[in-house]
Amino acid sequence: MSVETAPMQVLSSRAIARQRRVRSTKRFVEAFAQHKSGVLGVVMLLVFVVLGLLAPVLFPAEMIEPINTVNNPRMASPSAEFWLGTDELGRSVLALLVWAIRPSLIVGISASIIAMILGTLLGISSGHFRNWFGALCERLTDWFLVIPFLPLVIVLAAVFGQQGDWILIVVLGITAWPGTARLVRAQTLSVEGRPYIERAKVLGNSDWKQMSRHVLPNVMPLVIANTTLTVAIVILSQTTLAFIGLTDPNSVNWGSMLDNASASGAPLRGAWWYLLPPGICVILVVLAFTLIGRALEVVLNPRLGSE
Amino acid sequence: MARTRRSLRRWGAAGLATVIAAVIPVTVAASNAQAIEQDGKYILKVGVLQPVDNLNPFKGITAAAYEAWALMYDTLTGYGKDFSAEPRLAESWEESEDGLTWTYNLVEGVNFSDGEPLTADDVVYTFNRIIEGESNEQTNYGSYVKNMESVKAIDDATVEFTLTEPTPIMTKLAVPILPEHIWSELDADELRDYTNSPDSDPPGGVGSGPFVLDEAVKGQYWTFTANPDYWGGAPKIDGVEYRVYRDANGMVTALNNGEIDFADDIDANLFSTLEGKDNIATNAAEYYGWSYITFNGGAQLTDGTPIGTGHPSLEDPIVREAINWAVDKQALINTNLEGYGSQGSSFMPPIYADQHYEPEDPIGYDVELANQMLDDAGYAKGPDGIRTMPDGSNPLDFELFSRQESKTSQTTIELLQGWLKEIGIESSAETVSEGRLYAIAGEGTFDMYEWGWVTEPDPDYQASTFTCDQFSYETKGGQIYGGLNDSFYCDPEYDELYAQQAVETDPAARTEIVKELQQMVYEANAYIIPYYYDYLQAWRTDRFTGFEHQPEPDGAVLFQYGTFSYLNVEPVTDASGGDSDSSSNTALIVGGVAAAAVLAGVVVFLISRGRRSGEADME
Amino acid sequence: MSEPAEAIAADVGSDPALERRVRDTRRAGGLGRFILRRSLTGLGTLLFVLAFNFVLFQLLPGDPAARYRGVRDISAEAIAKLREELNAPLWDQFINYIKDPLSLDALSTFSGESVWSTIFGSLWPTVVLLGTATLVATIVGVWIGIKAGWNRGSKFDKASTGVTLLLYATPEFWLGLLLIMLFSTGVGPFPALFPSGTIKDAGIDALSIEGVINIAYHTVLPATALALVYLADYSLIMRASIVDELGQDYLTTARAKGLMDYQIRRRHAVPNASLPTITLIFLSFGFIIGGAITVETVFSYPGLGLLSVEAIGTQDLPLLQALFLFTSAAVILFNIIADVTIALVDPRIRV
């Protein structure tokens, strides 16, 4: 920390806090910018977000309505009119690709937020409370960690899945929380070992105040990093589920594109324009979140700074 | 040190390259030498997309099952290449003057695969079992014995049937003749659970047919060996194998690679990749199969109790006709069939030329007309553009189902959703397995779904699916099972005509009635039949030759009503073809071991190199 | 010199639970007792999974007995009895479930056969596939990880990290589809080299030499699709472990003592870094399963993954339930093995 020779000002504690936050935010951004991989991730993500938002503008919804496209050349290779060719129903693969961005990002991010909230709640509780409640949370986390992720998601999705993306978000959210919880618990334990927390306890701060005022802000950065990585996993899972046919068949996403491609004989017909792009999009988006997450981890956790 | 390391790397790379170079020709050779011959035998390997669901002739239902039974068993009569009646086990028959007594003379000297002779007693037993049986025995064969009063053996080679009414089915008795000495050991419950496979008790697969069941691995493959003593002449091949593929991709790839010799029921879009290929013959056969979209026209039990969740608007024939006008059937032919099919109409397909009813004013594709019809009938559009019942309630929002096993089914329903929207009908679609759909259909918890039928040459079975007593029924345990009627179409006049054709022995008169039945169903729009599809098959010409079409010249060559190809096909004897398989196997083994050894060596190289290179790779 | 247990904890992503367990061992003393305690914990987890299983399937909507409708071989009486059982009050059902938690004679609603015999019938193909893929992935991934971690910042490191990150983000089934298109169909630049479906040809005895080669031949493509993604995971783990290990004091000491780099690597760094890696490899078993499911589907490989997908299609809930139980039990088992392996392999712990 630099020694600042600022003019002596009497600032309110809140103003001081705000100043501190602004400064640390700036520091954070600078540190983050040092990681080229992280920046690359952000750029990639932005490209996808922008394209996803512009989908209805670039490719009007009627373009991907099957009854309108049935008479186009089907599973045709790329041409001037269809830059990435067409699928088995005559729809432009490029249009489908761009429209698929939304469900993937929305489901990925929403589910991860749910996982983050659940995981943080349970993690802090299990780390903070030394009584039966904390032990219960800890046991719960350990147990759910053991349950294999994809089979559980599959069972839930098998029963609820085809009814729309919201169910999918809930299902993915409530299966992804254990990883976050474990991390948060470890952090909570570590934070609570610090002296000023002891002081806060002695001063009689309630459990709630301790958790929200002291533990939470310290835990959040790592949680955010972890959540970013969770998005990557959730998107991969969603793609897998769509491929197996457990998501809403009316929603276009990359996994269902691959499922349709496979079922329509794309490998056999050498329709690389139909098989390659959805997979590449998944890779790029997942990679973007992974890169961002890894960079965040490094920036926010000084112990890993040796990298 | 550095020099040694670099040359190590070079050797490592060379080693890897050698391995790859060695492995490729070995595996390619292995796949091609994947013998026409297997242990010196010629086996016809047929790829199928659906399994033999049950080898028990009373319980199975898939086309593959029927094909397996055709290999294992004989019937009294059969169909010729032109679908006319032909003798089989019954080499001749006589009909009495009043048409109520039929006498069949059996071929003599026929034996079952376990050596026991086939006599009239077995025929009598088989038919009596069905006549006296209940749902277990009657599901598949009940329609044949409807009018039979009794069956008895006059002597070892003569069987006499006594009927209650004359019936045209007596020349089309497609009932497999089962060995009494095996099946009489099973009571009704045991029969239900009997899998008729090699490890069953009593032993399964005992039949008189041209092939004998050899191995059955449920869900994967079934093998049959030729019966050299077959009374109809020994087959010229040594065996047949049916192999199940989860999807057409895998099956077609297997055909290309030579893993199978024949690919059955290929998807249209994959079929086009096979045309013109070397060593592959393709056949697009006009077929007796068709796809249909059914409506829930008012689901009920046979006793009249309404069941299910069908939308009331579908009970109105005008609504059904309007929907029919909104379906672009040509688009379906283009997308699903790539043109391999023809526009659909009535339930006897045009391949049965004398039976088929061709409507004078077929229902085409006219969205405007459909909208007009619905407007005129009072199904006005609400503010959100969705129509409601004439009294303003119950917006038209349908539940549609497609079949997981069929991509074309899913495409049809997906397009249907769009077309329904254009005439102001909202819908939601679900893809389910055929097993589930069967249950859903029985319970009536649907509005529309897509499935298909394959129609026999004799119209009785197909016509029966529109009768009132083929509705769903409830068992004592409170279970609701579906009958054959999945449109819940019911018209007493239809039932009367149906009963008439069942006893009309004059073919011309009978055809008239059958056409009238088709017309009634067509005009009521019980089903939408968008197309009759061609049956697409392909086989390798460098393996077997002698496939026979039914009908000539370009009908289906397997999965026919008969076993023409199986009895006639023989291996292509080619001088340059595969050597004796023992040497190819040895090559495979040697190659495999060598490749493994070299690969192991390379891995060892890499690991040891990794350790040592630390010195030079200092930071 | 840092506490070895903490060193491990640092690598294993700050897992205090593991740390605690390891410390507990040394306090309790003895490997045998460790295994016992660990197995008991595992059993406890299994019990939880059983209870969870029960609750999960109770929550599912619909008439349970109705699911058996598709099976034509089950008598109406059997269905009526099932319906009675399944609609009994919740508590009674729970008691029944406890009495027979594995539902050893549960029947599949699709085939009517015992679910457990179905599962064990489909087990060996999955074992073959996963075993091969994991083996190859471990060998290659670990090697890459070591090399990249040791030469941190080098061209190899940058290149391999980039590649492994890409592979890590790749859906396995997509790789499978590409491999089929490239090497199986013959439509691309390569001839059709490998089969694209099933595990072996009919009529070949699986246990003969010919059978083994045939199976291997059919396993090449699916195992490759899986191995490529797994090795990315392992490589990243191994690299992180090595990088972390490199910062340890004792290594500086060793170098100061004059040991050559490769000696340091072979004798100290790699073995120490291997422990958490082995652990994590076992722990990522849950991650492996997911890939197997889709790859088996793409290649029609008749293992547990394909069985799961079919069970979903036919809504065969007893089978799904049993599969879920089975995979959970397998994961628990692997977790136990992982912890025991650490205890075994690390001499510092055992004493």
Side-chain angles (χ1 to χ4, degrees):
Chain A
M1 264 222 293
S2 56
V3 176
E4 303 223 291
T5 45
M8 281 288 288
Q9 268 183 358
V10 181
L11 295 166
S12 73
S13 61
R14 205 170 292 173
I16 294 179
R18 208 184 318 136
Q19 239 186 36
R20 207 185 315 148
R21 243 170 293 173
V22 168
R23 241 182 281 144
S24 64
T25 313
K26 250 202 277 186
R27 235 181 301 141
F28 166 78
V29 171
E30 278 165 11
F32 187 84
Q34 302 249 341
H35 292 266
K36 280 183 278 187
S37 58
V39 172
L40 178 63
V42 172
V43 169
M44 282 164 62
L45 186 58
L46 276 177
V47 169
F48 276 101
V49 168
V50 167
L51 278 178
L53 286 173
L54 288 179
V57 171
L58 296 169
F59 305 103
E62 303 89 59
M63 268 186 81
I64 57 169
E65 183 64 52
I67 57 174
N68 294 331
T69 61
V70 181
N71 295 314
N72 291 345
R74 289 175 298 277
M75 222 176 283
S77 52
S79 61
E81 193 189 346
F82 300 108
W83 291 1
L84 280 180
T86 58
D87 75 344
E88 78 279 5
L89 291 177
R91 299 179 288 191
S92 158
V93 171
L94 186 58
L96 290 171
L97 218 56
V98 172
W99 273 95
I101 297 179
R102 283 192 192 185
S104 308
L105 286 181
I106 292 179
V107 170
I109 295 179
S110 315
S112 302
I113 291 182
I114 294 180
M116 174 176 87
I117 295 177
L118 272 177
T120 310
L121 274 172
L122 270 148
I124 292 189
S125 304
S126 65
H128 175 84
F129 289 108
R130 301 258 138 249
N131 53 11
W132 64 271
F133 182 63
L136 178 67
C137 291
E138 186 185 326
R139 281 287 130 215
L140 222 57
T141 309
D142 278 343
W143 285 337
F144 269 96
L145 260 177
V146 164
I147 294 181
F149 179 59
L150 199 62
L152 176 61
V153 173
I154 283 180
V155 167
L156 290 175
V159 183
F160 299 112
Q162 275 197 42
Q163 296 156 28
D165 278 346
W166 284 109
I167 302 282
L168 189 65
I169 291 177
V170 169
V171 164
L172 285 170
I174 63 180
T175 46
W177 63 264
T180 311
R182 189 172 70 151
L183 181 71
V184 169
R185 177 176 30 147
Q187 267 305 98
T188 308
L189 288 174
S190 143
V191 164
E192 295 211 335
R194 294 190 204 152
Y196 75 96
I197 298 285
E198 299 282 339
R199 239 179 288 143
K201 251 193 237 171
V202 166
L203 284 178
N205 275 345
S206 71
D207 284 318
W208 175 250
K209 231 194 191 172
Q210 284 176 53
M211 292 199 292
S212 60
R213 270 282 188 82
H214 301 294
V215 179
L216 197 58
N218 279 294
V219 159
M220 273 326 276
L222 267 174
V223 167
I224 301 221
N226 179 267
T227 303
T228 315
L229 291 172
T230 309
V231 177
I233 296 179
V234 168
I235 292 184
L236 273 176
S237 306
Q238 183 201 14
T239 309
T240 303
L241 287 179
F243 182 70
I244 301 182
L246 290 176
T247 56
D248 184 3
N250 285 333
S251 114
V252 175
N253 59 60
W254 295 315
S256 67
M257 281 177 76
L258 288 173
D259 184 22
N260 287 333
S262 164
S264 312
L268 200 64
R269 294 160 80 170
W272 54 267
W273 57 90
Y274 194 7
L275 278 177
L276 279 176
I280 292 181
C281 283
V282 172
I283 294 180
L284 290 177
V285 168
V286 170
L287 190 61
F289 278 104
T290 310
L291 290 176
I292 297 177
R294 279 164 70 94
L296 280 178
E297 263 187 346
V298 168
V299 169
L300 295 171
N301 183 357
R303 283 186 69 221
L304 294 174
S306 58
E307 200 163 320
Chain B
M1 237 348 187
R3 203 173 304 145
T4 318
R5 201 173 27 84
R6 234 175 308 188
S7 55
L8 271 178
R9 207 178 294 172
R10 216 178 294 142
W11 281 115
L16 196 57
T18 319
V19 170
I20 295 179
V23 166
I24 289 185
V26 168
T27 51
V28 171
S31 70
N32 285 338
Q34 218 184 55
I36 305 175
E37 267 185 272
Q38 220 167 295
D39 301 323
K41 292 203 179 5
Y42 292 99
I43 314 269
L44 176 67
K45 297 194 271 290
V46 179
V48 291
L49 294 176
Q50 45 163 226
V52 172
D53 65 327
N54 202 323
L55 284 163
N56 180 338
F58 290 108
K59 302 300 290 178
I61 197 177
T62 60
Y66 276 86
E67 192 80 344
W69 303 330
L71 290 183
M72 295 194 285
Y73 299 105
D74 287 303
T75 56
L76 283 183
T77 65
Y79 293 105
K81 288 208 192 147
D82 58 353
F83 301 113
S84 61
E86 273 188 6
R88 291 277 184 269
L89 262 187
E91 52 181 9
S92 64
W93 55 84
E94 290 125 31
E95 181 187 354
S96 69
E97 284 252 355
D98 57 2
L100 296 177
T101 310
W102 288 72
T103 317
Y104 296 83
N105 306 305
L106 306 179
V107 171
E108 301 206 38
V110 178
N111 290 325
F112 285 110
S113 50
D114 62 354
E116 294 292 319
L118 186 154
T119 66
D121 288 331
D122 298 293
V123 178
V124 168
Y125 172 77
T126 305
F127 279 95
N128 274 330
R129 185 87 200 230
I130 302 171
I131 294 173
E132 295 158 11
E134 292 189 348
S135 62
N136 279 321
E137 292 90 347
Q138 294 237 341
T139 307
N140 283 348
Y141 306 108
S143 57
Y144 296 100
V145 306
K146 263 193 317 244
N147 295 313
M148 290 182 188
E149 195 180 284
S150 69
V151 189
K152 58 182 200 278
I154 305 293
D155 58 45
D156 270 354
T158 319
V159 183
E160 185 184 271
F161 288 80
T162 313
L163 308 176
T164 52
E165 300 220 43
T167 164
I169 207 120
M170 296 308 288
T171 56
K172 312 215 185 110
L173 291 173
V175 175
I177 303 303
L178 303 173
E180 179 182 7
H181 63 278
I182 301 275
W183 292 81
S184 56
E185 291 186 35
L186 304 162
D187 65 26
D189 283 335
E190 289 166 336
L191 181 123
R192 184 197 60 220
D193 298 330
Y194 185 60
T195 56
N196 199 23
S197 42
D199 50 1
S200 300
D201 174 37
V206 174
S208 61
F211 290 85
V212 180
L213 179 66
D214 182 23
E215 215 190 322
V217 176
K218 190 168 171 133
Q220 288 186 46
Y221 59 85
W222 296 261
T223 56
F224 303 82
T225 50
N227 177 2
D229 305 318
Y230 184 55
W231 58 268
K236 302 174 194 158
I237 50 178
D238 300 297
V240 176
E241 177 194 312
Y242 296 118
R243 200 184 297 186
V244 178
Y245 287 88
R246 307 285 159 195
D247 59 51
N249 275 317
M251 186 174 71
V252 173
T253 308
L255 183 71
N256 283 330
N257 291 351
E259 287 169 58
I260 53 176
D261 310 309
F262 190 101
D264 183 70
D265 197 13
I266 305 173
D267 286 13
N269 46 31
L270 295 178
F271 187 69
S272 36
T273 66
L274 288 171
E275 292 178 304
K277 266 208 157 147
D278 285 339
N279 292 326
I280 300 221
T282 56
N283 191 51
E286 196 189 358
Y287 199 56
Y288 20 85
W290 37 273
S291 161
Y292 68 93
I293 302 170
T294 185
F295 299 97
N296 187 334
Q300 290 175 12
L301 299 178
T302 44
D303 63 12
T305 323
I307 54 173
T309 58
H311 197 280
S313 62
L314 289 175
E315 297 182 29
D316 182 351
I318 294 184
V319 173
R320 300 199 296 264
E321 186 179 333
I323 295 179
N324 198 344
W325 280 104
V327 170
D328 185 352
K329 304 167 222 356
Q330 191 58 45
L332 285 177
I333 296 178
N334 292 341
T335 319
N336 281 343
L337 306 180
E338 302 278 329
Y340 288 111
S342 57
Q343 181 122 353
S345 52
S346 48
F347 66 74
M348 291 305 285
I351 191 178
Y352 301 134
D354 47 350
Q355 310 260 25
H356 169 71
Y357 163 74
E358 187 59 49
E360 277 148 23
D361 287 310
I363 296 180
Y365 175 53
D366 190 338
V367 176
E368 245 182 72
L369 176 58
N371 270 313
Q372 191 67 47
M373 284 177 75
L374 288 172
D375 287 334
D376 291 343
Y379 295 90
K381 289 192 183 172
D384 55 358
I386 306 300
R387 295 182 185 277
T388 61
M389 297 294 285
D391 62 4
S393 69
N394 216 338
L396 269 60
D397 190 341
F398 294 163
E399 268 180 62
L400 315 178
F401 292 91
S402 62
R403 295 173 292 126
Q404 200 181 354
E405 290 84 344
S406 162
K407 182 83 174 75
T408 55
S409 173
Q410 293 159 34
T411 305
T412 301
I413 294 296
E414 199 175 341
L415 291 171
L416 181 62
Q417 281 195 283
W419 289 319
L420 284 174
K421 200 66 195 289
E422 293 205 309
I423 56 173
I425 299 180
E426 190 64 72
S427 61
S428 61
E430 209 184 319
T431 305
V432 297
S433 67
E434 288 182 353
R436 257 195 83 203
L437 186 56
Y438 185 66
I440 290 172
E443 292 163 15
T445 49
F446 69 95
D447 288 305
M448 298 170 74
Y449 66 75
E450 185 277 353
W451 213 323
W453 279 108
V454 172
T455 311
E456 295 180 10
D458 188 283
D460 185 272
Y461 185 86
Q462 200 66 51
S464 74
T465 67
F466 295 103
T467 56
C468 301
D469 54 35
Q470 281 293 345
F471 277 9
S472 307
Y473 59 96
E474 195 170 359
T475 65
K476 286 169 276 190
Q479 293 296 309
I480 295 183
Y481 285 91
L484 293 175
N485 189 333
D486 60 352
S487 62
F488 294 101
Y489 168 82
C490 178
D491 186 337
E493 209 185 304
Y494 182 94
D495 283 14
E496 237 182 81
L497 283 173
Y498 170 74
Q500 265 182 45
Q501 66 80 36
V503 299
E504 179 57 69
T505 43
D506 171 33
R510 190 177 178 217
T511 305
E512 276 313 301
I513 305 178
V514 168
K515 285 195 179 168
E516 213 181 315
L517 291 174
Q518 292 175 66
Q519 186 176 4
M520 289 181 73
V521 167
Y522 184 76
E523 288 173 358
N525 284 289
Y527 279 171
I528 300 176
I529 300 181
Y531 51 74
Y532 308 108
Y533 55 84
D534 287 349
Y535 200 56
L536 304 170
Q537 301 172 313
W539 61 93
R540 296 191 66 97
T541 50
D542 55 351
R543 298 287 179 82
F544 293 92
T545 177
F547 289 96
E548 308 242 309
H549 301 261
Q550 183 201 43
E552 302 278 0
D554 57 5
V557 300
L558 288 187
F559 291 84
Q560 313 156 318
Y561 286 102
T563 51
F564 304 100
S565 291
Y566 295 108
L567 293 174
N568 193 56
V569 134
E570 55 188 339
V572 168
T573 42
D574 190 86
S576 64
D579 342 303
S580 84
D581 62 300
S582 51
S583 71
S584 65
N585 274 337
T586 317
L588 186 52
I589 295 173
V590 168
V593 170
V598 181
L599 198 58
V602 171
V603 169
V604 168
F605 258 140
L606 290 177
I607 291 187
S608 63
R609 190 160 59 82
R611 260 187 247 150
R612 245 168 295 167
S613 67
E615 310 148 49
D617 290 352
M618 299 235 239
E619 299 147 38
Chain C
M1 177 136 166
S2 48
E3 278 275 81
E6 259 116 52
I8 298 172
D11 302 325
V12 185
S14 324
D15 182 3
L18 181 57
E19 198 184 313
R20 203 181 325 124
R21 260 182 258 141
V22 168
R23 247 180 305 169
D24 284 348
T25 311
R26 295 195 315 182
R27 233 181 289 141
L31 183 65
R33 229 176 296 186
F34 176 69
I35 294 183
L36 191 62
R37 289 169 120 260
R38 194 59 194 84
S39 308
L40 284 176
T41 326
L43 211 59
T45 318
L46 187 60
L47 284 175
F48 168 75
V49 171
L50 281 174
F52 181 73
N53 213 347
F54 174 78
V55 169
L56 186 65
F57 285 88
Q58 285 302 324
L59 291 177
L60 299 174
D63 174 14
R67 295 175 202 126
Y68 282 88
R69 196 83 47 69
V71 187
R72 302 166 87 226
D73 298 323
I74 290 193
S75 68
E77 298 86 55
I79 292 191
K81 184 157 127 339
L82 262 170
R83 166 166 279 157
E84 226 183 271
E85 267 174 43
L86 291 167
N87 289 327
L90 207 62
W91 186 245
D92 290 344
Q93 281 193 57
F94 191 62
I95 300 286
N96 276 333
Y97 183 73
I98 298 288
K99 276 195 257 168
D100 177 26
L102 298 178
S103 304
L104 284 170
D105 50 2
L107 298 177
S108 153
T109 56
F110 174 67
S111 65
E113 291 170 7
S114 150
V115 298
W116 291 103
S117 75
T118 311
I119 289 183
F120 284 110
S122 300
L123 182 57
W124 72 268
T126 304
V127 170
V128 165
L129 179 62
L130 288 185
T132 317
T134 318
L135 192 63
V136 171
T138 308
I139 295 177
V140 178
V142 164
W143 178 75
I144 294 181
I146 293 178
K147 185 133 196 270
W150 192 261
N151 306 310
R152 204 181 47 215
S154 68
K155 262 190 282 185
F156 180 86
D157 178 30
K158 294 207 177 108
S160 69
T161 308
V163 168
T164 48
L165 280 176
L166 268 177
L167 282 175
Y168 183 70
T170 311
E172 300 92 340
F173 65 87
W174 181 71
L175 274 180
L177 285 174
L178 288 185
L179 285 173
I180 290 182
M181 187 169 74
L182 283 174
F183 295 108
S184 199
T185 59
V187 297
F190 301 101
L193 290 175
F194 294 100
S196 74
T198 72
I199 189 173
K200 72 174 181 68
D201 302 320
I204 300 185
D205 180 16
L207 297 174
S208 65
I209 294 200
E210 193 191 346
V212 167
I213 294 186
N214 193 271
I215 292 179
Y217 182 51
H218 281 90
T219 310
V220 168
L221 286 186
T224 308
L226 287 174
L228 282 173
V229 176
Y230 295 167
L231 78 82
D233 187 31
Y234 299 158
S235 155
L236 288 169
I237 292 174
M238 190 70 203
R239 180 184 179 281
S241 301
I242 293 265
V243 164
D244 230 49
E245 198 68 20
L246 283 177
Q248 299 297 332
D249 296 335
Y250 74 93
L251 281 182
T252 321
T253 317
R255 272 214 198 97
K257 278 206 293 194
L259 284 177
M260 303 287 276
D261 252 6
Y262 78 87
Q263 287 172 313
I264 298 177
R265 203 157 69 189
R266 203 187 327 155
R267 264 187 250 159
H268 299 287
V270 170
N272 286 338
S274 299
L275 297 174
T277 308
I278 294 176
T279 316
L280 282 163
I281 287 178
F282 273 109
L283 289 177
S284 58
F285 181 67
F287 163 70
I288 289 180
I289 294 181
I293 292 181
T294 51
V295 165
E296 282 188 16
T297 311
V298 167
F299 286 92
S300 302
Y301 206 80
L304 290 181
L306 190 56
L307 191 63
S308 312
V309 173
E310 285 175 349
I312 294 170
T314 55
Q315 293 244 313
D316 190 345
L317 287 173
L319 184 56
L320 277 175
Q321 199 168 357
L323 276 168
F324 180 69
L325 202 55
F326 183 78
T327 27
S328 302
V331 172
I332 294 177
L333 185 65
F334 276 107
N335 281 6
I336 296 181
I337 294 180
D339 286 346
V340 169
T341 310
I342 280 203
L344 268 175
V345 168
D346 188 350
R348 296 175 290 178
I349 297 185
R350 220 181 315 174
V351 179

